[in-house]
Every structure is written in structure tokens, then in C-alpha cells.
Amino acid sequence: QVQLVESGGGLVQAGGSLRLSCAASGRTVSADTMAWFRQTPGKERQFVAAIHWRGITDYADSVKGRFTVSRDNAKNTVNLQMNSLKLEDTAVYFCASSPWGALVRGRNEYAFWGQGIQVTVSS
């Protein structure tokens, strides 16, 4: 069992930056694919970014070039650096872990989830 806790969310102006962190506990996630998803009211949770245990990354087109996902296996954490934030990036952001080793985007591929953290981008 893995527990995931997100931190670093908050309110930022458009064009600004935020860094989200996700701390894992219960076991090491160094062999997991770790990902970030986001969700707005009334919409499905959407893939944002993922990082394979080998360090290979994948991004949704809407964030490519602005967001960077990274991991620190020594600290059992994964981070999401968000730059050039836009109003449409406002959402609750979720950290997720997939223990099956593939770099995937589907929600059903992720077994463990954090509770989510709010990111609000204002004009």
C-alpha cells in the first residue's frame, strides 16, 4: 500500500509559477510510474504528466513546454514544476502511482492516489 500526499498548491497569477510535490510513504515508489492528473468541477480527471521509473516523461499537449515532472527516488517524491500558468490550469491536482512499470496515461492504470490539492490561477 502506498500513501501519497500532495503539497505546494495555492493561488498564483497568470504567467506565474508553482511547484507541486508529492510525498510517498508505505513503500518505495522508485520502480513505479508516477503521474499527475487534474480535475475541474463537472469534468473527468485528466492526465497532465507522468514519469517512468527510468526517467522517461510524458506530457499532455496542453502543458507541454510549460510543465516539468521530476522525481527524487532518494526522497520518495515526485514534483511538478508549473511555469507560464494559464487560467485554464486552475484545477485540483492529483498525484498517482502505477506499480506495473509502464508509462501510461489512463486513470485506471494508476492504483494509488493522493487526496488532491487546489491550484488556482487568477487574471
Side-chain angles (χ1 to χ4, degrees), residues 40-113:
T40 54
K43 294 190 176 181
E44 291 187 348
R45 196 168 298 184
Q46 295 183 327
F47 171 80
V48 175
I51 184 165
H52 189 258
W53 64 271
R54 292 191 176 193
I56 303 167
T57 57
D58 184 26
Y59 297 94
D61 287 345
S62 59
V63 306
K64 198 172 293 183
R66 300 188 297 121
F67 290 12
T68 302
V69 61
S70 62
R71 65 193 303 160
D72 185 336
N73 288 335
K75 295 181 179 180
N76 223 25
T77 60
V78 62
N79 302 302
L80 185 68
Q81 178 66 43
M82 305 185 293
N83 298 330
S84 302
L85 282 161
K86 304 177 180 180
L87 297 179
E88 52 265 40
D89 293 320
T90 294
V92 176
Y93 283 72
F94 296 87
C95 174
S97 168
S98 173
W100 297 294
L103 187 62
V104 291
R105 294 188 172 196
R107 296 191 307 275
N108 292 337
E109 302 287 346
Y110 289 85
F112 304 104
W113 293 83

